[in-house]
Amino acid sequence: MPLIEAKQLGIEFPVAPPNARSFRHLAIKAASRVGGRVSKSEGSFQFVQALDDISFTLKQGDRLGLFGHNGAGKTTLIRVLAGIYEPTRGSLRVVGRNVPMFDIGLGMDEEASGYENIRTRGLILGLSPEEIEERVPEIVEFAELGDYLELPIRTYSSGMLLRLVFSIAASIHGDIILMDEWIAVGDAQFRKKTHDRLQEITLRSGIVVLASHDHGLLRDTCNLGLYLEGGRVRAFGAIEDVMKELATD
Ligand SMILES: Nc1ncnc2c1ncn2[C@@H]1O[C@H](COP(=O)(O)OP(=O)(O)OP(=O)(O)O)[C@@H](O)[C@H]1O
């Protein structure tokens, strides 16, 4: 059974300011609601506290929406959950097969066709060549890109690329789906399809974590919400309660 358990999780990034002027800019930024806190200096380094004291547990069937202003820590949290960043404080337990759906162009070859990219991305996501071949018809049907799949993906619009990447990832049957903002580039019809597919995935076995500035999308997709402010938890709980907290801003 998939599980994500974060306990007092924190991460800070060392930043070497290129010059005194940009250093002042960082200090000004720290006083606003945008971004993490610029917390302390050690020699010529400053540290950006991107996440601080984050605790939550997600179980099978949970769909967590991440809310927060620019720089609140949403992307950083998704990357920590994906194992890309190691937390510098606290602990994280992730049980289950993790399918990242962010960094949309990562592992995609601009010059290769849609079909070729299905195969390479499938390999990157851990499928065997046989498993990929079995899934190709399902991916093609879901993406609805028709003859475009024969063309290099540099000819795709961002929404078309999203269709391809989502269709590949959704066919993997992972336990944990991690998605960043980019889903918003899909058109209304594809959003409805992705929403239905996400419901299906979570009903089947999964956990979904989705970061977005589109509150309607989060409300429609998620049962839980986590509202981050300056890298800290401002609210966590049932999606409607978190949205009430947002409304007080
Ligand atoms: N590699 C890094 N080095 C230094 N600071 C970083 C790094 N990655 C993120 N940060 C900082 O961590 C904080 C959180 O950034 P993050 O990208 O997680 O925010 P976000 O909530 O996803 O923002 P947005 O809504 O704008 O995408 C910001 O203050 C950002 O400047």
Side-chain angles (χ1 to χ4, degrees):
M1 282 246 264
L3 176 83
I4 298 180
E5 203 173 51
K7 285 190 188 154
Q8 295 168 316
L9 203 80
I11 185 161
E12 56 185 15
F13 296 107
V15 184
N19 57 44
R21 190 172 172 277
S22 57
F23 182 77
R24 265 201 309 279
H25 278 224
L26 272 177
I28 291 163
K29 201 164 153 280
S32 79
R33 298 180 66 190
V34 175
R37 281 172 306 117
V38 182
S39 52
K40 61 186 176 194
S41 75
E42 231 170 68
S44 63
F45 277 84
Q46 288 285 301
F47 289 83
V48 175
Q49 185 80 43
L51 295 174
D52 189 17
D53 200 18
I54 309 283
S55 299
F56 60 86
T57 301
L58 302 178
K59 300 197 176 78
Q60 178 174 334
D62 281 339
R63 300 173 305 282
L64 177 70
L66 298 181
F67 298 85
H69 295 284
N70 290 128
K74 304 177 297 296
T75 300
T76 305
L77 181 57
I78 293 230
R79 289 188 174 163
V80 171
L81 298 180
I84 294 169
Y85 293 150
E86 188 76 19
T88 47
R89 257 179 270 155
S91 67
L92 174 68
R93 199 169 145 230
V94 177
V95 182
R97 183 178 188 170
N98 179 342
V99 182
M101 289 206 222
F102 49 89
D103 293 335
I104 183 167
L106 199 70
M108 303 294 271
D109 180 350
E110 289 267 293
E111 292 303 324
S113 70
Y115 280 116
E116 286 163 334
N117 273 291
I118 291 174
R119 297 190 170 94
T120 41
R121 199 164 174 103
L123 289 173
I124 289 168
L125 291 170
L127 297 183
S128 68
E130 295 73 31
E131 284 175 316
I132 296 167
E133 290 318 313
E134 273 169 31
R135 285 166 171 78
V136 168
E138 177 192 335
I139 295 168
V140 169
E141 194 196 327
F142 195 84
E144 292 180 274
L145 289 169
D147 292 343
Y148 267 96
L149 287 169
E150 311 273 2
L151 297 184
I153 62 163
R154 69 178 148 74
T155 64
Y156 293 13
S157 69
S158 50
M160 289 163 75
L161 194 56
L162 163 76
R163 281 173 174 259
L164 183 62
V165 175
F166 183 90
S167 306
I168 300 167
S171 76
I172 294 218
H173 303 177
D175 305 310
I176 297 169
I177 307 268
L178 304 170
M179 296 202 299
D180 211 345
E181 183 65 70
W182 56 262
I183 195 163
V185 299
D187 61 26
Q189 182 252 359
F190 193 67
R191 271 172 71 154
K192 166 91 178 74
K193 275 178 77 167
T194 54
H195 174 260
D196 294 349
R197 179 57 71 96
L198 286 176
Q199 301 283 19
E200 226 180 274
I201 291 170
T202 45
L203 283 177
R204 196 169 55 220
S205 69
I207 291 175
V208 172
V209 181
L210 168 59
S212 180
H213 291 285
D214 182 340
H215 295 174
L217 173 76
L218 295 183
R219 187 197 52 224
D220 293 346
T221 311
C222 302
N223 63 323
L224 293 174
L226 174 60
Y227 178 11
L228 291 170
E229 192 170 74
R232 290 191 167 145
V233 178
R234 165 129 173 220
F236 171 67
I239 189 91
E240 46 292 353
D241 295 339
V242 172
M243 291 196 76
K244 272 186 206 147
E245 179 67 24
L246 275 159
T248 64
D249 273 357

